[in-house]
Amino acid sequence: MFELTEDQKAIVEMVADFATENIAPHAAVWDRDHHFPVDVLAQAGELGMGGIYVREDFGGSGMSRLDAALIFEELSKADPTIAAYISIHNMVAWMIDRFGNDEQRGTWLPALCTMEMLGSYCLTEPGVGSDAAALSTRAVLDGEHYVLNGTKQFISGAGASGVYLVMARTSDTGSAGITAFIVPDGSEGLSFGALEAKMGWNAQPTRQVVMENVRIPVGNRLGEEGTGFGIAMKGLNGGRVNIGACSVGGGQSALDKSIAYLKEREAFGAPLIGQQALLFAIADMETELEIARTMIWRAADALERGTADTVKLCAMAKLVATDAGFNAANTALQLHGGYGYLSEYGIEKIVRDLRVHQILEGSNEIMRLVIGRLAVEK
């Protein structure tokens, strides 16, 4: 599994060409102007990146989880912000594909897979982050409709998405009382908070999603009542692998920029690349990123096959990869000296964008909790 097939090499080359031409040249401006490039996302959708591991019968690409990890790493080399959003969108599409009935799949997947319609994942709430089982958004059955009330926090794509996958409480039985719902944009009573002012990820909108007596048909319930928490957690397993791959891609970009800079920059009469201490830093970055990449590939394989250790490996991969990616970016900034602090060199943006990866899809503290609990349960 450590050598890519010819098909996978072709996928990587295609994505790299797309990202180099359509994303990388604009990433700094998008970040500065807080611009969400929905037109470029649609172009990515035309190439099959809107439903990477969605089945093909309703427009998905039918690729593997490893294929997806390769794609997100390449996209993130150009812009971690856009790569991360595409990852979230794919998580929504997969959840509808995996847990929806044929009517739901036929209704929502074709436009999601082309990214003509964007998707947002709505789990976190203002008072509920890591303790997802304690969410308070409610869905009450009223005839042939559910009525939803509540607020979701830190929602990527909010205000621009066409569909919101919402986890809401249908009974007061802890995690067993959570149900998943497909909420279309334009639903009466659906509104959005102000754009959040963030450290990074500026090229994707982040807002609250507010539901005030939002009525949706029973047919928009994803799965049975009470199965939402399991659906959410299964979605997050894939999300953790994907965001880890995004971290590796961003970290690799920072490493590549550092090597190029140290070869060009001279100090004390010689190129900086000849300084042993700096070479050691490069070696550590390279090693940590390769370890992370290996973990991502292993977790992606486990996720694809549904092995018994999938949850553990996905948590490990997310923990290792997001730490390695941020450490590489932060070290790269130091290696660039004062120039690393300037936006012109692109390093400070990678630092800002990758920092949040250690928090979302389950913070790295939660990853340690998951790993530790599974270790002692053996």
Side-chain angles (χ1 to χ4, degrees):
M1 74 179 276
F2 297 108
E3 184 174 349
L4 300 184
T5 66
E6 291 304 313
D7 285 346
Q8 288 170 331
K9 290 176 183 177
I11 290 169
V12 169
E13 183 178 358
M14 180 271 289
V15 176
D17 288 345
F18 171 79
T20 299
E21 181 177 346
N22 297 286
I23 298 177
H26 312 292
V29 174
W30 293 342
D31 176 71
R32 183 195 68 198
D33 296 344
H34 294 239
H35 173 68
F36 190 40
V38 294
D39 55 336
V40 176
L41 294 176
Q43 291 173 8
E46 290 176 3
L47 295 175
M49 288 184 251
I52 297 171
Y53 37 87
V54 169
R55 287 169 285 176
E56 296 177 85
D57 54 345
F58 287 110
S61 297
M63 297 187 198
S64 72
R65 294 293 186 148
L66 177 54
D67 296 334
L70 298 172
I71 288 170
F72 291 124
E73 180 176 344
E74 285 305 312
L75 289 172
S76 198
K77 290 176 184 177
D79 189 353
T81 302
I82 300 306
Y85 176 73
I86 295 176
S87 162
I88 294 166
H89 171 91
N90 270 270
M91 181 167 64
V92 172
W94 175 80
M95 292 166 79
I96 293 174
D97 181 50
R98 172 66 177 79
F99 299 102
N101 56 41
D102 282 347
E103 182 178 352
Q104 291 168 334
R105 295 175 67 237
T107 299
W108 303 107
L109 288 178
L112 285 170
C113 290
T114 61
M115 298 190 82
E116 296 171 79
M117 175 186 290
L118 301 178
S120 289
Y121 178 67
C122 303
L123 176 63
T124 302
E125 296 181 358
V128 179
S130 298
D131 187 11
L135 63 82
S136 61
T137 295
R138 301 199 74 88
V140 177
L141 185 61
D142 181 22
E144 294 300 312
H145 291 78
Y146 282 94
V147 181
L148 276 65
N149 282 280
T151 300
K152 297 297 183 176
Q153 184 77 34
F154 304 132
I155 305 305
S156 292
S161 289
V163 62
Y164 298 87
L165 192 54
V166 175
M167 301 299 159
R169 183 164 300 287
T170 48
S171 67
D172 294 318
T173 52
S175 62
I178 296 171
T179 304
F181 297 93
I182 302 169
V183 179
D185 184 40
S187 298
E188 186 175 354
L190 179 68
S191 62
F192 309 99
L195 284 168
E196 302 286 1
K198 298 170 293 185
M199 175 180 175
W201 273 26
N202 290 323
Q204 57 165 285
T206 303
R207 291 174 165 151
Q208 287 186 336
V209 173
V210 181
M211 291 158 285
E212 298 176 295
N213 295 320
V214 173
R215 296 181 66 87
I216 59 169
V218 171
N220 282 29
R221 186 187 68 215
L222 191 65
E224 299 301 317
E225 279 199 9
T227 62
F229 188 77
I231 291 173
M233 293 304 104
K234 287 182 172 65
L236 282 176
N237 284 333
R240 288 165 181 168
V241 174
N242 293 346
I243 209 67
C246 290
S247 291
V248 171
Q252 186 66 53
S253 176
L255 172 58
D256 293 343
K257 289 176 185 290
S258 297
I259 292 171
Y261 176 77
L262 294 178
K263 285 181 177 179
E264 294 175 0
R265 180 84 158 86
E266 290 194 3
F268 308 106
L272 284 176
I273 198 68
Q275 296 287 336
Q276 187 181 69
L278 303 185
L279 278 177
F280 282 4
I282 293 294
D284 287 344
M285 295 162 73
E286 175 85 1
T287 301
E288 288 181 14
L289 288 172
E290 194 59 44
I291 291 169
R293 186 177 289 111
T294 302
M295 280 299 306
I296 291 293
W297 289 14
R298 185 178 176 198
D301 175 70
L303 190 60
E304 183 74 23
R305 295 187 293 115
T307 63
D309 56 357
T310 294
V311 173
K312 179 187 75 173
L313 290 174
C314 289
M316 286 179 168
K318 195 269 181 181
L319 171 64
V320 169
T322 56
D323 281 353
F326 179 75
N327 289 343
N330 199 38
T331 301
L333 194 152
Q334 190 71 20
L335 291 175
H336 278 73
Y339 293 106
Y341 205 66
L342 302 181
S343 59
E344 176 185 351
Y345 284 75
I347 298 296
E348 59 85 29
K349 178 185 181 301
I350 299 174
V351 173
R352 290 187 288 107
D353 286 345
L354 294 191
R355 181 60 182 88
V356 75
H357 292 196
Q358 295 169 298
I359 298 171
L360 53 82
E361 310 289 30
S363 71
N364 284 4
E365 290 76 15
I366 293 297
M367 295 305 96
R368 289 181 171 87
L369 236 138
V370 170
I371 296 162
R373 286 174 175 170
L374 289 172
V376 301
E377 287 174 3
K378 289 180 181 177

